[in-house]
Amino acid sequence: MFRPVVLAFCLLAPLALLAAAPPNIVLIVSDDQGYPDLGCIGTKPLHTPHLDRLAAEGARGTSFYVTWCACTPSRGSLLTGRYPQRNGLYDMVRNDLVNYGHRYDWEEYAVSPEMTLGLDPKEITIGDMLQKAGYATGVVGKWDMGQARRYLPLQRGFDFFYGHGNNGIDYYTHERYGIPSLFRGNQRTEEDKGQYITHVFGREAQRFIREHLGKRPFFLYLPFNAPHGASTLAEDNGGQKPGVQAPEEYVARYRGLVKDEKLARYCAAVTCMDDVIGELLQTIEEAGQTDNTIVLFLSDNGGSGNGGNEPLKGSKSTMWEGGLRVPFLMRWPGRVPAGVVTDEFLTALEIVPTLLAASGAPAPEGVKLDGFDLLPVLRGETKSPRKAMFWQRRADKAARVGHWKWVDSGKGKGLFDLSQDIGEKNDLSKEQPEMLKRMQD
C-alpha cells in the first residue's frame, strides 16, 4: 500500500503546486463606454464577440459602479482601492483652456495642470502591491495619473509603460491639442505616429504578455482611450472636432445600422478594441494559460456620445446612473462560474482587494482600502457586503444606500428606489422624507 500512496502523492504534488501558482492578471478598462454597450446585452447593434465571450465564460455585473463620473478620479480609485476623497485625486487633471481651442506650446504646457498635478506619490498602487509580491507589472494605454516623472508608472510600481499620461489624445497623431503625448517608459516618443492607437496598444500589450507568459506571473493594466472622443483641435480637423476616430473598415460596418456617422465611429472604435482584446485572449489561450489568468473588464465611467445609456438616465459627467453604473466582466476559469449574471451591489473599489486575495499579495500596512474581495459574491457564496456608495464632483453629490439613490446636482435632484425605478424617473422625496433625510445626512 505504501508505494501506490507515494506514487499518487508524487503525481499529485506538481498539480497542487501548479494550482497554487499565482494567477496572471489582465485588467482592461475602456473609456466612456456606456452601461448597455456590449453585444451580449442586445439593446444596440454592437458587435463585441470577444467581450461577449468573457461574459459567457465568466461573470457579468449589472449593478457595478465606478467612484466618479469621469475618468481621472475613477481610474485613481481603481489603482488604489480608495475613494477619490481619500487618495486625494478627486477631480480631473486637465487643462481647461482646451475647451476654448487653445493650443499649448511646450514651455506653457510644461507648467500646466496636466504636467504638474497627479496621483499623490505617497499613494500605494495595485502595481506597487503586486510588484512587491513578485509580479511583472506593466501599463499599456491611458495612464491619466499625471505626466511629471514622479507620477509616471515606472515610479508607481510598474516595470513597463507604453501609453499617454493625460486624459486623451488623437488616435492617429497621438497628440493632445498639439502636444505629442505618448511615452515609452519615462520618455516621450513619436515612434508610432500615424498608426491607429488601439492597434498600437494591442501590439505593446502582446509584447508584454509574451515576454512573461509561463515564466513569471504578470499583471497587465490595459486602460484603452477608446471609445473616448479624440483630443484634437478643430482647426487641425477642417474646423470641426472629429469626435471618436476609428478605421474606415470598422466604421463601414455600422453605416446604415445606427443613426449617424458619429455613432458609427463610436461603435467602430468599440468593435476595434474588442478585436484587439480577442487577440490577447487568443495569445493567452495558445500558451495554455487561460485557466491561470484572471481577466477583468470595465468602463471608467458612463457612456458619452454613444446614443444613450437606456434604461439608465444620464451620461458621463452626471450623478445619474448613466454616469456611474458601468459594464463589468470577470473571467477566471475554475474560480468564477461561467455564465453568471449578478445584480449584486458592487463597485470598482472592490478590484484591489479582490486582486490581492486572488494573488496572495498582502494589503499594505496602515492603508485604508474601501472595498472587499468580490469573488465570493460572484461565486454565489454570499451577498455583497456593499451597503452604501457615495459620490461627489464639486457641488454635485449622490449616494446609494441599499436600493435607494439620492442625487443633488446641477442637472437634477431627487430620491429614487432603484429596485423599482432603475431609470430614476420617479422622485420619491415627498413620499419618503425620512429616507431623504437619512441620505442627506
mmCIF file with all atom_site columns, all heavy atoms in Angstrom, residues 28 38 40 50-56 58-61 64 295-298 326-331 351 378:
data_model
loop_
_atom_site.group_PDB
_atom_site.id
_atom_site.type_symbol
_atom_site.label_atom_id
_atom_site.label_alt_id
_atom_site.label_comp_id
_atom_site.label_asym_id
_atom_site.label_entity_id
_atom_site.label_seq_id
_atom_site.pdbx_PDB_ins_code
_atom_site.Cartn_x
_atom_site.Cartn_y
_atom_site.Cartn_z
_atom_site.occupancy
_atom_site.B_iso_or_equiv
_atom_site.pdbx_formal_charge
_atom_site.auth_seq_id
_atom_site.auth_comp_id
_atom_site.auth_asym_id
_atom_site.auth_atom_id
_atom_site.pdbx_PDB_model_num
ATOM 1   N N   . ILE A 1 28  ? -8.547  45.284 -17.893 1.00 0.00 ? 28  ILE A N   1
ATOM 2   C CA  . ILE A 1 28  ? -8.840  46.081 -19.090 1.00 0.00 ? 28  ILE A CA  1
ATOM 3   C C   . ILE A 1 28  ? -9.885  47.141 -18.751 1.00 0.00 ? 28  ILE A C   1
ATOM 4   O O   . ILE A 1 28  ? -10.927 46.825 -18.165 1.00 0.00 ? 28  ILE A O   1
ATOM 5   C CB  . ILE A 1 28  ? -9.371  45.189 -20.225 1.00 0.00 ? 28  ILE A CB  1
ATOM 6   C CG1 . ILE A 1 28  ? -8.397  44.038 -20.505 1.00 0.00 ? 28  ILE A CG1 1
ATOM 7   C CG2 . ILE A 1 28  ? -9.601  46.013 -21.491 1.00 0.00 ? 28  ILE A CG2 1
ATOM 8   C CD1 . ILE A 1 28  ? -8.974  42.967 -21.424 1.00 0.00 ? 28  ILE A CD1 1
ATOM 9   N N   . LEU A 1 38  ? -22.503 46.534 -24.858 1.00 0.00 ? 38  LEU A N   1
ATOM 10  C CA  . LEU A 1 38  ? -21.919 45.227 -25.150 1.00 0.00 ? 38  LEU A CA  1
ATOM 11  C C   . LEU A 1 38  ? -22.903 44.471 -26.040 1.00 0.00 ? 38  LEU A C   1
ATOM 12  O O   . LEU A 1 38  ? -24.120 44.570 -25.860 1.00 0.00 ? 38  LEU A O   1
ATOM 13  C CB  . LEU A 1 38  ? -21.678 44.428 -23.872 1.00 0.00 ? 38  LEU A CB  1
ATOM 14  C CG  . LEU A 1 38  ? -20.616 44.937 -22.890 1.00 0.00 ? 38  LEU A CG  1
ATOM 15  C CD1 . LEU A 1 38  ? -20.659 44.105 -21.607 1.00 0.00 ? 38  LEU A CD1 1
ATOM 16  C CD2 . LEU A 1 38  ? -19.225 44.872 -23.511 1.00 0.00 ? 38  LEU A CD2 1
ATOM 17  N N   . CYS A 1 40  ? -23.635 41.400 -26.029 1.00 0.00 ? 40  CYS A N   1
ATOM 18  C CA  . CYS A 1 40  ? -24.407 40.394 -25.302 1.00 0.00 ? 40  CYS A CA  1
ATOM 19  C C   . CYS A 1 40  ? -25.618 40.975 -24.587 1.00 0.00 ? 40  CYS A C   1
ATOM 20  O O   . CYS A 1 40  ? -26.540 40.242 -24.223 1.00 0.00 ? 40  CYS A O   1
ATOM 21  C CB  . CYS A 1 40  ? -23.510 39.655 -24.308 1.00 0.00 ? 40  CYS A CB  1
ATOM 22  S SG  . CYS A 1 40  ? -22.768 40.702 -23.027 1.00 0.00 ? 40  CYS A SG  1
ATOM 23  N N   . HIS A 1 50  ? -15.737 39.128 -28.484 1.00 0.00 ? 50  HIS A N   1
ATOM 24  C CA  . HIS A 1 50  ? -14.719 38.687 -27.529 1.00 0.00 ? 50  HIS A CA  1
ATOM 25  C C   . HIS A 1 50  ? -15.073 39.100 -26.101 1.00 0.00 ? 50  HIS A C   1
ATOM 26  O O   . HIS A 1 50  ? -14.874 38.319 -25.155 1.00 0.00 ? 50  HIS A O   1
ATOM 27  C CB  . HIS A 1 50  ? -13.362 39.238 -27.952 1.00 0.00 ? 50  HIS A CB  1
ATOM 28  C CG  . HIS A 1 50  ? -13.022 38.893 -29.376 1.00 0.00 ? 50  HIS A CG  1
ATOM 29  N ND1 . HIS A 1 50  ? -12.799 37.600 -29.783 1.00 0.00 ? 50  HIS A ND1 1
ATOM 30  C CD2 . HIS A 1 50  ? -12.926 39.674 -30.497 1.00 0.00 ? 50  HIS A CD2 1
ATOM 31  C CE1 . HIS A 1 50  ? -12.560 37.587 -31.092 1.00 0.00 ? 50  HIS A CE1 1
ATOM 32  N NE2 . HIS A 1 50  ? -12.634 38.831 -31.537 1.00 0.00 ? 50  HIS A NE2 1
ATOM 33  N N   . LEU A 1 51  ? -15.628 40.289 -25.946 1.00 0.00 ? 51  LEU A N   1
ATOM 34  C CA  . LEU A 1 51  ? -16.137 40.680 -24.635 1.00 0.00 ? 51  LEU A CA  1
ATOM 35  C C   . LEU A 1 51  ? -17.353 39.825 -24.272 1.00 0.00 ? 51  LEU A C   1
ATOM 36  O O   . LEU A 1 51  ? -17.526 39.435 -23.106 1.00 0.00 ? 51  LEU A O   1
ATOM 37  C CB  . LEU A 1 51  ? -16.484 42.168 -24.610 1.00 0.00 ? 51  LEU A CB  1
ATOM 38  C CG  . LEU A 1 51  ? -15.281 43.114 -24.664 1.00 0.00 ? 51  LEU A CG  1
ATOM 39  C CD1 . LEU A 1 51  ? -15.742 44.560 -24.832 1.00 0.00 ? 51  LEU A CD1 1
ATOM 40  C CD2 . LEU A 1 51  ? -14.406 42.977 -23.420 1.00 0.00 ? 51  LEU A CD2 1
ATOM 41  N N   . ASP A 1 52  ? -18.177 39.512 -25.253 1.00 0.00 ? 52  ASP A N   1
ATOM 42  C CA  . ASP A 1 52  ? -19.325 38.633 -25.009 1.00 0.00 ? 52  ASP A CA  1
ATOM 43  C C   . ASP A 1 52  ? -18.847 37.253 -24.543 1.00 0.00 ? 52  ASP A C   1
ATOM 44  O O   . ASP A 1 52  ? -19.469 36.626 -23.680 1.00 0.00 ? 52  ASP A O   1
ATOM 45  C CB  . ASP A 1 52  ? -20.168 38.489 -26.274 1.00 0.00 ? 52  ASP A CB  1
ATOM 46  C CG  . ASP A 1 52  ? -20.797 39.797 -26.717 1.00 0.00 ? 52  ASP A CG  1
ATOM 47  O OD1 . ASP A 1 52  ? -20.772 40.764 -25.940 1.00 0.00 ? 52  ASP A OD1 1
ATOM 48  O OD2 . ASP A 1 52  ? -21.304 39.850 -27.856 1.00 0.00 ? 52  ASP A OD2 1
ATOM 49  N N   . ARG A 1 53  ? -17.742 36.797 -25.105 1.00 0.00 ? 53  ARG A N   1
ATOM 50  C CA  . ARG A 1 53  ? -17.190 35.514 -24.695 1.00 0.00 ? 53  ARG A CA  1
ATOM 51  C C   . ARG A 1 53  ? -16.722 35.566 -23.241 1.00 0.00 ? 53  ARG A C   1
ATOM 52  O O   . ARG A 1 53  ? -16.933 34.618 -22.479 1.00 0.00 ? 53  ARG A O   1
ATOM 53  C CB  . ARG A 1 53  ? -16.031 35.136 -25.618 1.00 0.00 ? 53  ARG A CB  1
ATOM 54  C CG  . ARG A 1 53  ? -15.336 33.840 -25.228 1.00 0.00 ? 53  ARG A CG  1
ATOM 55  C CD  . ARG A 1 53  ? -14.092 33.601 -26.062 1.00 0.00 ? 53  ARG A CD  1
ATOM 56  N NE  . ARG A 1 53  ? -13.303 32.498 -25.522 1.00 0.00 ? 53  ARG A NE  1
ATOM 57  C CZ  . ARG A 1 53  ? -12.064 32.214 -25.912 1.00 0.00 ? 53  ARG A CZ  1
ATOM 58  N NH1 . ARG A 1 53  ? -11.480 32.939 -26.846 1.00 0.00 ? 53  ARG A NH1 1
ATOM 59  N NH2 . ARG A 1 53  ? -11.410 31.199 -25.362 1.00 0.00 ? 53  ARG A NH2 1
ATOM 60  N N   . LEU A 1 54  ? -16.077 36.678 -22.865 1.00 0.00 ? 54  LEU A N   1
ATOM 61  C CA  . LEU A 1 54  ? -15.678 36.829 -21.463 1.00 0.00 ? 54  LEU A CA  1
ATOM 62  C C   . LEU A 1 54  ? -16.888 36.728 -20.541 1.00 0.00 ? 54  LEU A C   1
ATOM 63  O O   . LEU A 1 54  ? -16.835 36.083 -19.487 1.00 0.00 ? 54  LEU A O   1
ATOM 64  C CB  . LEU A 1 54  ? -14.977 38.171 -21.245 1.00 0.00 ? 54  LEU A CB  1
ATOM 65  C CG  . LEU A 1 54  ? -13.527 38.308 -21.671 1.00 0.00 ? 54  LEU A CG  1
ATOM 66  C CD1 . LEU A 1 54  ? -13.024 39.713 -21.346 1.00 0.00 ? 54  LEU A CD1 1
ATOM 67  C CD2 . LEU A 1 54  ? -12.641 37.270 -20.991 1.00 0.00 ? 54  LEU A CD2 1
ATOM 68  N N   . ALA A 1 55  ? -17.984 37.374 -20.951 1.00 0.00 ? 55  ALA A N   1
ATOM 69  C CA  . ALA A 1 55  ? -19.200 37.324 -20.142 1.00 0.00 ? 55  ALA A CA  1
ATOM 70  C C   . ALA A 1 55  ? -19.740 35.902 -20.051 1.00 0.00 ? 55  ALA A C   1
ATOM 71  O O   . ALA A 1 55  ? -20.162 35.445 -18.981 1.00 0.00 ? 55  ALA A O   1
ATOM 72  C CB  . ALA A 1 55  ? -20.255 38.255 -20.733 1.00 0.00 ? 55  ALA A CB  1
ATOM 73  N N   . ALA A 1 56  ? -19.717 35.176 -21.170 1.00 0.00 ? 56  ALA A N   1
ATOM 74  C CA  . ALA A 1 56  ? -20.252 33.813 -21.199 1.00 0.00 ? 56  ALA A CA  1
ATOM 75  C C   . ALA A 1 56  ? -19.389 32.849 -20.391 1.00 0.00 ? 56  ALA A C   1
ATOM 76  O O   . ALA A 1 56  ? -19.898 31.905 -19.784 1.00 0.00 ? 56  ALA A O   1
ATOM 77  C CB  . ALA A 1 56  ? -20.356 33.326 -22.644 1.00 0.00 ? 56  ALA A CB  1
ATOM 78  N N   . GLY A 1 58  ? -17.435 33.742 -17.851 1.00 0.00 ? 58  GLY A N   1
ATOM 79  C CA  . GLY A 1 58  ? -17.208 34.248 -16.506 1.00 0.00 ? 58  GLY A CA  1
ATOM 80  C C   . GLY A 1 58  ? -18.450 34.896 -15.951 1.00 0.00 ? 58  GLY A C   1
ATOM 81  O O   . GLY A 1 58  ? -19.563 34.388 -16.108 1.00 0.00 ? 58  GLY A O   1
ATOM 82  N N   . ALA A 1 59  ? -18.265 36.043 -15.310 1.00 0.00 ? 59  ALA A N   1
ATOM 83  C CA  . ALA A 1 59  ? -19.380 36.733 -14.657 1.00 0.00 ? 59  ALA A CA  1
ATOM 84  C C   . ALA A 1 59  ? -19.563 38.131 -15.224 1.00 0.00 ? 59  ALA A C   1
ATOM 85  O O   . ALA A 1 59  ? -18.596 38.783 -15.623 1.00 0.00 ? 59  ALA A O   1
ATOM 86  C CB  . ALA A 1 59  ? -19.138 36.818 -13.151 1.00 0.00 ? 59  ALA A CB  1
ATOM 87  N N   . ARG A 1 60  ? -20.816 38.574 -15.235 1.00 0.00 ? 60  ARG A N   1
ATOM 88  C CA  . ARG A 1 60  ? -21.136 39.947 -15.653 1.00 0.00 ? 60  ARG A CA  1
ATOM 89  C C   . ARG A 1 60  ? -21.933 40.608 -14.551 1.00 0.00 ? 60  ARG A C   1
ATOM 90  O O   . ARG A 1 60  ? -22.924 40.052 -14.061 1.00 0.00 ? 60  ARG A O   1
ATOM 91  C CB  . ARG A 1 60  ? -21.935 39.937 -16.962 1.00 0.00 ? 60  ARG A CB  1
ATOM 92  C CG  . ARG A 1 60  ? -22.388 41.326 -17.414 1.00 0.00 ? 60  ARG A CG  1
ATOM 93  C CD  . ARG A 1 60  ? -22.868 41.318 -18.856 1.00 0.00 ? 60  ARG A CD  1
ATOM 94  N NE  . ARG A 1 60  ? -24.099 40.573 -19.034 1.00 0.00 ? 60  ARG A NE  1
ATOM 95  C CZ  . ARG A 1 60  ? -25.321 41.113 -18.954 1.00 0.00 ? 60  ARG A CZ  1
ATOM 96  N NH1 . ARG A 1 60  ? -25.460 42.408 -18.660 1.00 0.00 ? 60  ARG A NH1 1
ATOM 97  N NH2 . ARG A 1 60  ? -26.393 40.367 -19.161 1.00 0.00 ? 60  ARG A NH2 1
ATOM 98  N N   . GLY A 1 61  ? -21.494 41.797 -14.139 1.00 0.00 ? 61  GLY A N   1
ATOM 99  C CA  . GLY A 1 61  ? -22.194 42.556 -13.114 1.00 0.00 ? 61  GLY A CA  1
ATOM 100 C C   . GLY A 1 61  ? -23.124 43.573 -13.733 1.00 0.00 ? 61  GLY A C   1
ATOM 101 O O   . GLY A 1 61  ? -22.727 44.296 -14.655 1.00 0.00 ? 61  GLY A O   1
ATOM 102 N N   . PHE A 1 64  ? -22.838 47.475 -11.113 1.00 0.00 ? 64  PHE A N   1
ATOM 103 C CA  . PHE A 1 64  ? -21.426 47.749 -10.831 1.00 0.00 ? 64  PHE A CA  1
ATOM 104 C C   . PHE A 1 64  ? -21.160 49.234 -11.068 1.00 0.00 ? 64  PHE A C   1
ATOM 105 O O   . PHE A 1 64  ? -21.501 49.767 -12.121 1.00 0.00 ? 64  PHE A O   1
ATOM 106 C CB  . PHE A 1 64  ? -20.533 46.897 -11.728 1.00 0.00 ? 64  PHE A CB  1
ATOM 107 C CG  . PHE A 1 64  ? -19.073 46.942 -11.358 1.00 0.00 ? 64  PHE A CG  1
ATOM 108 C CD1 . PHE A 1 64  ? -18.538 46.011 -10.493 1.00 0.00 ? 64  PHE A CD1 1
ATOM 109 C CD2 . PHE A 1 64  ? -18.244 47.935 -11.872 1.00 0.00 ? 64  PHE A CD2 1
ATOM 110 C CE1 . PHE A 1 64  ? -17.189 46.042 -10.145 1.00 0.00 ? 64  PHE A CE1 1
ATOM 111 C CE2 . PHE A 1 64  ? -16.902 47.986 -11.531 1.00 0.00 ? 64  PHE A CE2 1
ATOM 112 C CZ  . PHE A 1 64  ? -16.372 47.041 -10.660 1.00 0.00 ? 64  PHE A CZ  1
ATOM 113 N N   . VAL A 1 295 ? -9.030  37.748 -16.060 1.00 0.00 ? 295 VAL A N   1
ATOM 114 C CA  . VAL A 1 295 ? -9.281  38.856 -16.983 1.00 0.00 ? 295 VAL A CA  1
ATOM 115 C C   . VAL A 1 295 ? -10.478 39.638 -16.467 1.00 0.00 ? 295 VAL A C   1
ATOM 116 O O   . VAL A 1 295 ? -11.553 39.064 -16.237 1.00 0.00 ? 295 VAL A O   1
ATOM 117 C CB  . VAL A 1 295 ? -9.549  38.365 -18.416 1.00 0.00 ? 295 VAL A CB  1
ATOM 118 C CG1 . VAL A 1 295 ? -9.754  39.566 -19.348 1.00 0.00 ? 295 VAL A CG1 1
ATOM 119 C CG2 . VAL A 1 295 ? -8.408  37.497 -18.925 1.00 0.00 ? 295 VAL A CG2 1
ATOM 120 N N   . LEU A 1 296 ? -10.279 40.925 -16.262 1.00 0.00 ? 296 LEU A N   1
ATOM 121 C CA  . LEU A 1 296 ? -11.364 41.809 -15.822 1.00 0.00 ? 296 LEU A CA  1
ATOM 122 C C   . LEU A 1 296 ? -11.553 42.902 -16.851 1.00 0.00 ? 296 LEU A C   1
ATOM 123 O O   . LEU A 1 296 ? -10.586 43.361 -17.479 1.00 0.00 ? 296 LEU A O   1
ATOM 124 C CB  . LEU A 1 296 ? -11.047 42.450 -14.471 1.00 0.00 ? 296 LEU A CB  1
ATOM 125 C CG  . LEU A 1 296 ? -10.713 41.537 -13.307 1.00 0.00 ? 296 LEU A CG  1
ATOM 126 C CD1 . LEU A 1 296 ? -9.197  41.473 -13.128 1.00 0.00 ? 296 LEU A CD1 1
ATOM 127 C CD2 . LEU A 1 296 ? -11.350 42.017 -12.019 1.00 0.00 ? 296 LEU A CD2 1
ATOM 128 N N   . PHE A 1 297 ? -12.792 43.338 -16.995 1.00 0.00 ? 297 PHE A N   1
ATOM 129 C CA  . PHE A 1 297 ? -13.105 44.424 -17.933 1.00 0.00 ? 297 PHE A CA  1
ATOM 130 C C   . PHE A 1 297 ? -14.162 45.324 -17.313 1.00 0.00 ? 297 PHE A C   1
ATOM 131 O O   . PHE A 1 297 ? -15.154 44.846 -16.754 1.00 0.00 ? 297 PHE A O   1
ATOM 132 C CB  . PHE A 1 297 ? -13.639 43.866 -19.253 1.00 0.00 ? 297 PHE A CB  1
ATOM 133 C CG  . PHE A 1 297 ? -14.145 44.936 -20.185 1.00 0.00 ? 297 PHE A CG  1
ATOM 134 C CD1 . PHE A 1 297 ? -13.281 45.611 -21.039 1.00 0.00 ? 297 PHE A CD1 1
ATOM 135 C CD2 . PHE A 1 297 ? -15.494 45.296 -20.189 1.00 0.00 ? 297 PHE A CD2 1
ATOM 136 C CE1 . PHE A 1 297 ? -13.759 46.608 -21.874 1.00 0.00 ? 297 PHE A CE1 1
ATOM 137 C CE2 . PHE A 1 297 ? -15.968 46.296 -21.014 1.00 0.00 ? 297 PHE A CE2 1
ATOM 138 C CZ  . PHE A 1 297 ? -15.092 46.959 -21.860 1.00 0.00 ? 297 PHE A CZ  1
ATOM 139 N N   . LEU A 1 298 ? -13.948 46.622 -17.434 1.00 0.00 ? 298 LEU A N   1
ATOM 140 C CA  . LEU A 1 298 ? -14.949 47.614 -17.039 1.00 0.00 ? 298 LEU A CA  1
ATOM 141 C C   . LEU A 1 298 ? -14.696 48.913 -17.791 1.00 0.00 ? 298 LEU A C   1
ATOM 142 O O   . LEU A 1 298 ? -13.632 49.096 -18.388 1.00 0.00 ? 298 LEU A O   1
ATOM 143 C CB  . LEU A 1 298 ? -14.915 47.869 -15.531 1.00 0.00 ? 298 LEU A CB  1
ATOM 144 C CG  . LEU A 1 298 ? -13.680 48.568 -14.960 1.00 0.00 ? 298 LEU A CG  1
ATOM 145 C CD1 . LEU A 1 298 ? -14.052 49.399 -13.729 1.00 0.00 ? 298 LEU A CD1 1
ATOM 146 C CD2 . LEU A 1 298 ? -12.619 47.550 -14.565 1.00 0.00 ? 298 LEU A CD2 1
ATOM 147 N N   . VAL A 1 326 ? -21.606 51.008 -14.754 1.00 0.00 ? 326 VAL A N   1
ATOM 148 C CA  . VAL A 1 326 ? -20.843 50.645 -15.949 1.00 0.00 ? 326 VAL A CA  1
ATOM 149 C C   . VAL A 1 326 ? -20.852 49.129 -16.173 1.00 0.00 ? 326 VAL A C   1
ATOM 150 O O   . VAL A 1 326 ? -21.149 48.362 -15.261 1.00 0.00 ? 326 VAL A O   1
ATOM 151 C CB  . VAL A 1 326 ? -19.372 51.139 -15.844 1.00 0.00 ? 326 VAL A CB  1
ATOM 152 C CG1 . VAL A 1 326 ? -19.320 52.656 -15.695 1.00 0.00 ? 326 VAL A CG1 1
ATOM 153 C CG2 . VAL A 1 326 ? -18.640 50.446 -14.690 1.00 0.00 ? 326 VAL A CG2 1
ATOM 154 N N   . PRO A 1 327 ? -20.485 48.694 -17.385 1.00 0.00 ? 327 PRO A N   1
ATOM 155 C CA  . PRO A 1 327 ? -20.345 47.253 -17.617 1.00 0.00 ? 327 PRO A CA  1
ATOM 156 C C   . PRO A 1 327 ? -19.156 46.693 -16.841 1.00 0.00 ? 327 PRO A C   1
ATOM 157 O O   . PRO A 1 327 ? -18.121 47.358 -16.706 1.00 0.00 ? 327 PRO A O   1
ATOM 158 C CB  . PRO A 1 327 ? -20.120 47.160 -19.132 1.00 0.00 ? 327 PRO A CB  1
ATOM 159 C CG  . PRO A 1 327 ? -19.613 48.501 -19.538 1.00 0.00 ? 327 PRO A CG  1
ATOM 160 C CD  . PRO A 1 327 ? -20.238 49.485 -18.601 1.00 0.00 ? 327 PRO A CD  1
ATOM 161 N N   . PHE A 1 328 ? -19.298 45.470 -16.351 1.00 0.00 ? 328 PHE A N   1
ATOM 162 C CA  . PHE A 1 328 ? -18.222 44.804 -15.626 1.00 0.00 ? 328 PHE A CA  1
ATOM 163 C C   . PHE A 1 328 ? -18.224 43.317 -15.961 1.00 0.00 ? 328 PHE A C   1
ATOM 164 O O   . PHE A 1 328 ? -19.268 42.663 -15.905 1.00 0.00 ? 328 PHE A O   1
ATOM 165 C CB  . PHE A 1 328 ? -18.384 44.973 -14.114 1.00 0.00 ? 328 PHE A CB  1
ATOM 166 C CG  . PHE A 1 328 ? -17.446 44.097 -13.312 1.00 0.00 ? 328 PHE A CG  1
ATOM 167 C CD1 . PHE A 1 328 ? -16.080 44.396 -13.255 1.00 0.00 ? 328 PHE A CD1 1
ATOM 168 C CD2 . PHE A 1 328 ? -17.912 42.965 -12.648 1.00 0.00 ? 328 PHE A CD2 1
ATOM 169 C CE1 . PHE A 1 328 ? -15.208 43.583 -12.541 1.00 0.00 ? 328 PHE A CE1 1
ATOM 170 C CE2 . PHE A 1 328 ? -17.043 42.152 -11.927 1.00 0.00 ? 328 PHE A CE2 1
ATOM 171 C CZ  . PHE A 1 328 ? -15.682 42.464 -11.877 1.00 0.00 ? 328 PHE A CZ  1
ATOM 172 N N   . LEU A 1 329 ? -17.042 42.787 -16.320 1.00 0.00 ? 329 LEU A N   1
ATOM 173 C CA  . LEU A 1 329 ? -16.864 41.378 -16.635 1.00 0.00 ? 329 LEU A CA  1
ATOM 174 C C   . LEU A 1 329 ? -15.653 40.841 -15.884 1.00 0.00 ? 329 LEU A C   1
ATOM 175 O O   . LEU A 1 329 ? -14.661 41.550 -15.704 1.00 0.00 ? 329 LEU A O   1
ATOM 176 C CB  . LEU A 1 329 ? -16.640 41.173 -18.139 1.00 0.00 ? 329 LEU A CB  1
ATOM 177 C CG  . LEU A 1 329 ? -17.630 41.815 -19.116 1.00 0.00 ? 329 LEU A CG  1
ATOM 178 C CD1 . LEU A 1 329 ? -17.142 41.655 -20.541 1.00 0.00 ? 329 LEU A CD1 1
ATOM 179 C CD2 . LEU A 1 329 ? -19.022 41.224 -18.941 1.00 0.00 ? 329 LEU A CD2 1
ATOM 180 N N   . MET A 1 330 ? -15.721 39.579 -15.467 1.00 0.00 ? 330 MET A N   1
ATOM 181 C CA  . MET A 1 330 ? -14.564 38.934 -14.851 1.00 0.00 ? 330 MET A CA  1
ATOM 182 C C   . MET A 1 330 ? -14.562 37.454 -15.200 1.00 0.00 ? 330 MET A C   1
ATOM 183 O O   . MET A 1 330 ? -15.562 36.762 -14.991 1.00 0.00 ? 330 MET A O   1
ATOM 184 C CB  . MET A 1 330 ? -14.567 39.096 -13.331 1.00 0.00 ? 330 MET A CB  1
ATOM 185 C CG  . MET A 1 330 ? -13.353 38.466 -12.660 1.00 0.00 ? 330 MET A CG  1
ATOM 186 S SD  . MET A 1 330 ? -13.284 38.819 -10.878 1.00 0.00 ? 330 MET A SD  1
ATOM 187 C CE  . MET A 1 330 ? -11.739 37.990 -10.452 1.00 0.00 ? 330 MET A CE  1
ATOM 188 N N   . ARG A 1 331 ? -13.435 36.996 -15.744 1.00 0.00 ? 331 ARG A N   1
ATOM 189 C CA  . ARG A 1 331 ? -13.274 35.576 -16.068 1.00 0.00 ? 331 ARG A CA  1
ATOM 190 C C   . ARG A 1 331 ? -12.058 35.007 -15.345 1.00 0.00 ? 331 ARG A C   1
ATOM 191 O O   . ARG A 1 331 ? -10.971 35.582 -15.404 1.00 0.00 ? 331 ARG A O   1
ATOM 192 C CB  . ARG A 1 331 ? -13.093 35.381 -17.575 1.00 0.00 ? 331 ARG A CB  1
ATOM 193 C CG  . ARG A 1 331 ? -13.063 33.899 -17.984 1.00 0.00 ? 331 ARG A CG  1
ATOM 194 C CD  . ARG A 1 331 ? -12.752 33.722 -19.454 1.00 0.00 ? 331 ARG A CD  1
ATOM 195 N NE  . ARG A 1 331 ? -11.340 33.940 -19.745 1.00 0.00 ? 331 ARG A NE  1
ATOM 196 C CZ  . ARG A 1 331 ? -10.780 33.775 -20.955 1.00 0.00 ? 331 ARG A CZ  1
ATOM 197 N NH1 . ARG A 1 331 ? -11.543 33.408 -21.980 1.00 0.00 ? 331 ARG A NH1 1
ATOM 198 N NH2 . ARG A 1 331 ? -9.499  33.996 -21.140 1.00 0.00 ? 331 ARG A NH2 1
ATOM 199 N N   . ILE A 1 351 ? -11.968 46.043 -6.657  1.00 0.00 ? 351 ILE A N   1
ATOM 200 C CA  . ILE A 1 351 ? -10.984 45.413 -7.538  1.00 0.00 ? 351 ILE A CA  1
ATOM 201 C C   . ILE A 1 351 ? -9.653  45.155 -6.822  1.00 0.00 ? 351 ILE A C   1
ATOM 202 O O   . ILE A 1 351 ? -9.110  44.046 -6.887  1.00 0.00 ? 351 ILE A O   1
ATOM 203 C CB  . ILE A 1 351 ? -10.753 46.264 -8.799  1.00 0.00 ? 351 ILE A CB  1
ATOM 204 C CG1 . ILE A 1 351 ? -12.061 46.400 -9.598  1.00 0.00 ? 351 ILE A CG1 1
ATOM 205 C CG2 . ILE A 1 351 ? -9.659  45.644 -9.673  1.00 0.00 ? 351 ILE A CG2 1
ATOM 206 C CD1 . ILE A 1 351 ? -12.653 45.113 -10.078 1.00 0.00 ? 351 ILE A CD1 1
ATOM 207 N N   . LEU A 1 378 ? -19.392 36.672 -6.601  1.00 0.00 ? 378 LEU A N   1
ATOM 208 C CA  . LEU A 1 378 ? -19.550 36.152 -7.960  1.00 0.00 ? 378 LEU A CA  1
ATOM 209 C C   . LEU A 1 378 ? -19.797 34.650 -7.950  1.00 0.00 ? 378 LEU A C   1
ATOM 210 O O   . LEU A 1 378 ? -20.464 34.114 -8.842  1.00 0.00 ? 378 LEU A O   1
ATOM 211 C CB  . LEU A 1 378 ? -18.309 36.475 -8.797  1.00 0.00 ? 378 LEU A CB  1
ATOM 212 C CG  . LEU A 1 378 ? -17.986 37.954 -9.002  1.00 0.00 ? 378 LEU A CG  1
ATOM 213 C CD1 . LEU A 1 378 ? -16.807 38.105 -9.954  1.00 0.00 ? 378 LEU A CD1 1
ATOM 214 C CD2 . LEU A 1 378 ? -19.189 38.725 -9.538  1.00 0.00 ? 378 LEU A CD2 1
#
